[in-house]
Each structure stands twice: as C-alpha cells, then as structure tokens.
Amino acid sequence: MTPQLADNYMVTIAERLTCAYARISNAAKNTHRSKNEITLLAVSKTKPSDDIVAAYNYGQRQFGESYVQEAVDKIAQLHTYSDIIWHFIGPIQSNKSALVAENFDWVQSVDRIKIAKRLNAQRPTSKPPLNVLIQVNISAEEAKSGCHPDDIANLAEFISQCDQLRLRGLMAIPAKSDDPTTQTQYFEQLQTCFDKLKAQYPQLDTLSMGMSNDVEAAISAGSTMVRIGTDIFGTRT
Ligand SMILES: *Cc1c(COP(=O)(O)O)cnc(C)c1O
C-alpha cells in the first residue's frame, strides 16, 4: 500500500468515527441522556489490521470481532497496541472457547452454561477475569444464537459464581427491521430483562444493543454500548 493510500484510509475512517460519535451524541441528547453513558464499540470483523490502526490513531480503543481465528491473528499483529480492549461478539463453538478465553477482554456472546464453564476454566489466572455479557435471543428467532429470556436468571447465577468471569450485563442482536417502532419494541424488551437482572446484581453496567442500522432506537431504550461496523469501516464483502 502506498503511503498516500494509507493516508486516505486514515482520513476516511477518522471522518466516519467522527460521524458515529456525533450520531451517538445526538441520539443521547434527543432522549435526555448523557453521551458519556454510551460506549462505542468499533466492529472490525473482516477488516484489515491497518483499519484498526487508523481508528486507534483517532483515539478509538474498543474493538469487536466475530470470527475467532481472524481475531486472534489480528490481536497478535497488534500486540504493541496494548491498551486496545478486545470484545468477542460472535457465536462461540466449544472447540474455540480456549482461544477466546486467552485472547479477549470481553465476551458478549455467552448464551449457555457449557460455554461459561469452559471460558471460566480456560481463562488464564495471570489475567483479570473475563468480562461477560449474556447474549439474549430477544426476538425469539429459530436459527439465532442467544439464550431464551426465561433462561437469563439461571445463566447469570452460574456466571456470577465463576472466579474467572465477571458478569457485566446483556447483549442482543434483534431480528433485522427498518421500522423504528419494531426496533424499539425489541430493545425495550431487552432493557426490561436488564433492569430485572440488575435488581439482583447491582454491579451490572452494560446493555449492549444497537448497530449501524438502529443506533437511535437502541439509545432511546437505554443502550450503554452500541456496536458499529459498517458505518465506520465500510460495507463487508
Ligand atoms: C457485525 C456485527 C455488528 C456490526 O454490524 P453493522 O451493521 O456493520 O454495524 C454488531 N454486532 C454484532 C454482534 C455483529 O456481529
């Protein structure tokens, strides 16, 4: 890549990040919340490490990845950027759980006890506990990952007893919809689940919902973390 191209890349990603932060800020304002309550997770799956560096140079520190091997390769390439906070947000297969436990700071996609148990056992004791969100299948789609809302309490109880895991909250990817009313309905259901769980575990602080398509609806329903890929890094092939 020529230096000039690299510069163009950086400008583009920096501008897109500026827009993403402005969008969060506006959405927060419109719903009388502080923008400081909302973290932007830059979703860099399928994108090269250079793009992550461009975002990093702009000040972005939290990145989300969905494919274990791709992510582990990028984390190794970028190991000198030691203050990056890596979130795993994809489906977790048992045979990949050790790589997730060893390489990430957060896992947002824990949806069953079996996986929580493996992550707890595989998290190196030299590292701080792994931050965990329970993924909820909020729109009850047949093929989607995430636990049923009725199963949150059981899974939360299990995770809260794991020394190497730290339960932080909930995550969901609702069924795709371009209708803000439908989007809001799912997000409000998730917020209700979160409030209920928080009554039992007051230390919970993270409600991860909202993507490029539905940031406003998510923030109006109480999201504390939006996960944005396309709007920052461009479309994925
Ligand atoms: C890919 C992905 C995102 C980002 O989606 P965009 O529509 O590109 O913003 C967010 N969350 C999860 C779990 C994802 O897999």
Side-chain angles (χ1 to χ4, degrees), residues 43 45 66 89 171 173 211-213 227-231 236:
V43 178
K45 65 186 181 203
S66 301
I89 61 176
M171 183 274 254
I173 314 167
M211 320 201 323
S212 293
N213 194 37
R227 309 178 307 267
I228 302 184
T230 309
D231 276 6
R236 293 177 294 270

Side-chain angles (χ1 to χ4, degrees), residues 7-8 10 23 38 43 48 57 59 63 68 76 103 130 132 140 145-146 166 172 196-197 226 230 235:
D7 283 350
N8 286 343
M10 287 198 274
R23 194 175 166 198
I38 301 142
V43 178
N57 287 337
F63 293 90
V68 177
N103 287 283
L130 189 57
V132 168
S145 35
R166 183 171 167 214
K196 205 169 135 191
L197 196 63
V226 291
T230 309
T235 50

Side-chain angles (χ1 to χ4, degrees), residues 157-178:
E157 195 191 343
F158 183 85
I159 294 168
S160 69
Q161 286 164 9
C162 292
D163 285 345
Q164 284 298 91
L165 304 181
R166 183 171 167 214
L167 184 62
R168 300 292 294 266
L170 301 179
M171 183 274 254
I173 314 167
K176 214 172 161 54
S177 167
D178 289 325

Side-chain angles (χ1 to χ4, degrees), residues 192-204:
T192 303
C193 295
F194 182 68
D195 288 346
K196 205 169 135 191
L197 196 63
K198 201 172 149 70
Q200 203 182 343
Y201 305 95
Q203 73 276 18
L204 300 191

